[in-house]
Every structure is written in structure tokens, then in C-alpha cells.
Amino acid sequence: GENVEQHPSTLSVQEGDSAVIKCTYSDSASNYFPWYKQELGKRPQLIIDIRSNVGEKKDQRIAVTLNKTAKHFSLHITETQPEDSAVYFCAASGGLGGSQGNLIFGKGTKLSVKP
Amino acid sequence: DGGITQSPKYLFRKEGQNVTLSCEQNLNHDAMYWYRQDPGQGLRLIYYSQIVNDFQKGDIAEGYSVSREKKESFPLTVTSAQKNPTAFYLCASSIVTGTGWPQHFGDGTRLSIL
């Protein structure tokens, strides 16, 4: 089945700098890759997603890139602000087979933005 | 995502006791999911349901049970067979199952052992 690896597990940046979080997946049939932001004690919230027919997607300060050949995708946050501090999760759809397209999550990256 | 309501927010379980976590959605979504979140472990799928009266085991179903008698409701029971139930439990829904459909989460229930 699908396996998703996420790096780094923690990331500390200065306010205004960029942050990059990377994920790799194992199932070449996966074709949907969402990113979630979870603040302490709260629900995960979808911040951006990408499908495999697209290489890059942007939404203001957030962008996601996908390399299908290498089976990895990345979240890029530019001009970071203290309110960007949270845990970020990547996920990949399980493709066909036993997981029936369900999301498989990475273990998360704790991002800290220092003022 | 105010359309998914989980209750209670905090729950305590005694030894040998079954407890039930509630999840209700008013988004008219067919698919619903239960995840368990432990520190540093990400989200792991317990059970999911594609449609009323149908549900499937996820990766860590042992010690849990679910029902799906109504489209809006997908309660999770943590049975006494689950020896390590302390975790944050998240319910989610999507329009349908299968790849490409975003999942939207509730606020979660934090379960602890007394």
C-alpha cells in the first residue's frame, strides 16, 4: 500500500523567511495530494491541494509542487508570519487497491516562525 | 468546517468500559472517516464509510466499532479491547470516497483513561 514520508519533523524559521516541507510517496497510482495545517488542539484544515495532472499550484503565499517521476511533492510558504506556526501534514491518496483511494498522511512537520 | 460536529470535546474512560464518540455532519457528504492522532504519529485511519449501512476497516480497526445508520451520523465506539485508547480522535467527511476528494475535519475528541 501507500507510504508517505515527510521531512523535516521540525522546522524553525525567522519571520519573513521561506519554509519548505517535503514529502515522498510510494504508490505511483496516487494522484491527489492535499496539505493540512493544524494549530495546537484544533482540527486539521485544508490549505492547498494538487492533482497529478498539475506540476505546481499557488495560493497567495503558499505553493505546492509535484514531481511525479520522483514521487515527491513539497509545500512552500513564503514571507512567513508568526501565525503560520502550526503542524503541517501532507497526504496522498492511496490509489487503487486495498486503500480504495483513502488518504495516507505523513507524520507532520512542526513549523515555528520566530518574530 | 462548521459542518462537522464532534462530541464530547473531552472524554474519560474507566477500565473495562466502552465509550462512544459522536460525529454528525450537515454537509450532505456520503463518505465519513475516523482517525486516531497520537503525538508524532500523524493521522491513522480507524474506519471509514462510503454510504449508509456500509463501513470498512482502516489500518488500526482493532478495539473499535462503528455504525452508519444515517447519512449524517458516524459514531465510533472505543471498546474495552482497545488497551491503549488515549489519543485525539478526529472525524472527517468528504463528498464521496476515492481519490481526489478533500476531507473536512471536525474539532476532535480527546480521550483519556481514568
Side-chain angles (χ1 to χ4, degrees), chain B residues 79-99:
Chain B
T79 74
S80 57
Q82 172 50 246
K83 298 306 180 188
N84 184 23
T86 298
F88 190 48
Y89 291 87
L90 286 159
C91 177
S93 71
S94 62
I95 293 174
V96 293
T97 54
T99 189

Side-chain angles (χ1 to χ4, degrees), chain A residues 28-90:
Chain A
S28 57
S30 291
N31 59 9
Y32 175 65
F33 308 92
W35 285 88
Y36 288 85
K37 174 184 180 182
Q38 187 179 29
E39 297 177 10
L40 190 62
K42 296 190 176 180
R43 69 177 76 187
Q45 292 195 307
L46 180 70
I47 55 172
I48 196 167
D49 57 11
I50 191 168
R51 288 169 173 77
S52 61
N53 58 346
V54 175
E56 182 176 2
K57 184 176 179 180
K58 273 187 175 181
D59 183 3
Q60 300 181 351
R61 296 186 297 109
I62 293 173
V64 57
T65 58
L66 171 65
N67 183 326
K68 285 173 55 181
T69 303
K71 289 190 281 188
H72 67 71
F73 57 111
S74 300
L75 178 71
H76 304 254
I77 306 174
T78 58
E79 300 172 23
T80 54
Q81 300 166 4
E83 50 265 40
D84 293 330
S85 297
V87 178
Y88 291 82
F89 291 96
C90 64

Side-chain angles (χ1 to χ4, degrees), chain A residues 30-32 36 38 41-46 49 51 89 93-95 98-108, chain B residues 1-2 4 33 35 37 40-43 45 48 50 56 59 88 90 97-107 110:
Chain A
S30 291
N31 59 9
Y32 175 65
Y36 288 85
Q38 187 179 29
K42 296 190 176 180
R43 69 177 76 187
Q45 292 195 307
L46 180 70
D49 57 11
R51 288 169 173 77
F89 291 96
S93 66
S99 61
Q100 299 196 14
N102 289 326
L103 290 177
I104 306 299
F105 286 85
K107 292 188 176 181
Chain B
D1 297 52
I4 301 174
Y33 311 81
Y35 291 92
Q37 187 174 28
Q41 289 292 322
L43 281 70
L45 183 64
Y48 65 100
Q50 300 178 66
Q56 307 291 333
D59 299 319
F88 190 48
L90 286 159
T97 54
T99 189
W101 297 103
Q103 292 184 19
H104 304 272
F105 288 85
D107 284 329
R110 192 166 297 279

Side-chain angles (χ1 to χ4, degrees), chain B residues 15-34:
Chain B
E15 291 286 340
Q17 185 183 40
N18 293 351
V19 292
T20 297
L21 285 60
S22 171
C23 178
E24 304 275 334
Q25 54 99 0
N26 61 4
L27 300 170
N28 200 32
H29 285 174
D30 281 329
M32 297 187 75
Y33 311 81
W34 274 106

